Amino acid sequence: MHRSAPRLTRILACAAVPVMLVVAGCSSDSDSKGGTSDANAQSPSAASSPQTAVKPKPSVAPAKYAELPDACKAITGKTIEDLVPEVKNEKGTPGKSSDTASRGSCAWNGLDDNGVKGSQYRWLDISLLRYDSDPSLGSGEQRAQANYTKEVAKVKATEGATGVKTSPAAGVGNEATAISYGLKKTDEDFKYAAIVTRTENVLITVSYNGAGYAGAKTPTPSDLMEDAVKASKEAVAAVAAANK
């Protein structure tokens, strides 16, 4: 009995060796799989996946002029009196605008009635358009430049206009175009003088027209244009003054 006990102990010890190896093997497999999972989670392709780049918004220069003057005060009362004799409303008739900082207009008219000696009719109007800087559209000045060309083309294409002539209007704003033409209405021959002006980021259009009634002489295009230039220069000065 004493001899068989040590032998039994040795047999049990040997039998236990494979079990321990199996356990160790299973433990190794488990660690290996866990390591593989972690490696996949931190794979170079996943870690280096590109992110969507955020493009910076283009910057544009701020618009020089942020305000517009009251259109009915952009031309002085003295000039209105000179250009529109017997004016019906010396304060002018303002146009409707939902955004007076971006657009405005005003008009004056009058008839100097001399009975059988003839009468002189005059109409003067002004429109103001201001353009803001916009990253997607360009600076206020660039936008005004583009629309300046369109506004000149619009005046030249006035329905029914005859004898249309254009020329640069020197000394008015940054750039200006003088447009003269004739127009038949109310059985009278009207003469028109228009000045389209760009001053920085603002467009100014002054239109001055007139006719002689009951045998009175029709105003000459040159006289009308001289007065339209005067009114345009005052409007340019008014825009600058409104932004001081």
Side-chain angles (χ1 to χ4, degrees):
M1 293 296 294
H2 293 288
R3 295 178 60 183
S4 62
R7 183 180 180 186
L8 178 61
T9 300
R10 288 196 299 271
I11 292 172
L12 291 174
C14 290
V17 171
V19 174
M20 292 173 66
L21 290 176
V22 171
V23 171
C26 291
S27 174
S28 176
D29 287 346
S30 176
D31 290 343
S32 175
K33 289 180 181 179
T36 302
S37 177
D38 290 343
N40 287 338
Q42 299 296 327
S43 64
S45 61
S48 62
S49 60
Q51 296 181 351
T52 303
V54 179
K55 295 182 179 180
K57 292 183 178 179
S59 60
V60 293
K64 180 171 182 178
Y65 294 138
E67 300 290 340
L68 288 178
D70 181 337
C72 291
K73 296 179 180 178
I75 301 174
T76 66
K78 179 63 168 63
T79 297
I80 297 299
E81 186 179 317
D82 291 343
L83 271 56
V84 188
E86 301 300 325
V87 61
K88 289 183 179 180
N89 180 4
E90 61 183 13
K91 293 183 179 180
T93 302
K96 294 181 179 180
S97 175
S98 59
D99 184 4
T100 55
S102 296
R103 63 179 64 240
S105 62
C106 194
W108 301 261
N109 68 88
L111 176 67
D112 185 7
D113 190 350
N114 294 305
V116 295
K117 293 182 180 180
S119 303
Q120 289 290 337
Y121 176 82
R122 296 290 186 273
W123 174 287
L124 174 68
D125 66 61
I126 180 174
S127 71
L128 305 169
L129 293 172
R130 188 185 64 83
Y131 296 88
D132 274 323
S133 294
D134 187 310
S136 62
L137 300 175
S139 70
E141 184 175 353
Q142 290 172 331
R143 296 179 65 197
Q145 285 176 324
N147 284 281
Y148 166 78
T149 303
K150 294 178 182 179
E151 189 66 21
V152 170
K154 179 181 175 181
V155 175
K156 289 171 63 177
T158 298
E159 185 177 358
T162 60
V164 180
K165 296 180 180 179
T166 63
S167 62
V172 185
N174 296 106
E175 55 185 333
T177 299
I179 307 146
S180 63
Y181 57 93
L183 193 62
K184 186 85 170 182
K185 59 181 184 178
T186 63
D187 295 326
E188 298 293 341
D189 292 318
F190 278 72
K191 298 299 182 183
Y192 281 73
I195 304 287
V196 178
T197 305
R198 181 185 68 82
T199 176
E200 304 298 345
N201 58 306
V202 174
L203 290 186
I204 303 169
T205 302
V206 169
S207 180
Y208 183 45
N209 68 80
Y213 284 93
K217 291 183 179 180
T218 299
T220 65
S222 59
D223 286 343
L224 291 173
M225 191 61 72
E226 183 179 345
D227 290 335
V229 167
K230 180 182 179 181
S232 297
K233 288 181 177 180
E234 290 185 356
V236 170
V239 170
N243 287 271
K244 285 185 178 179

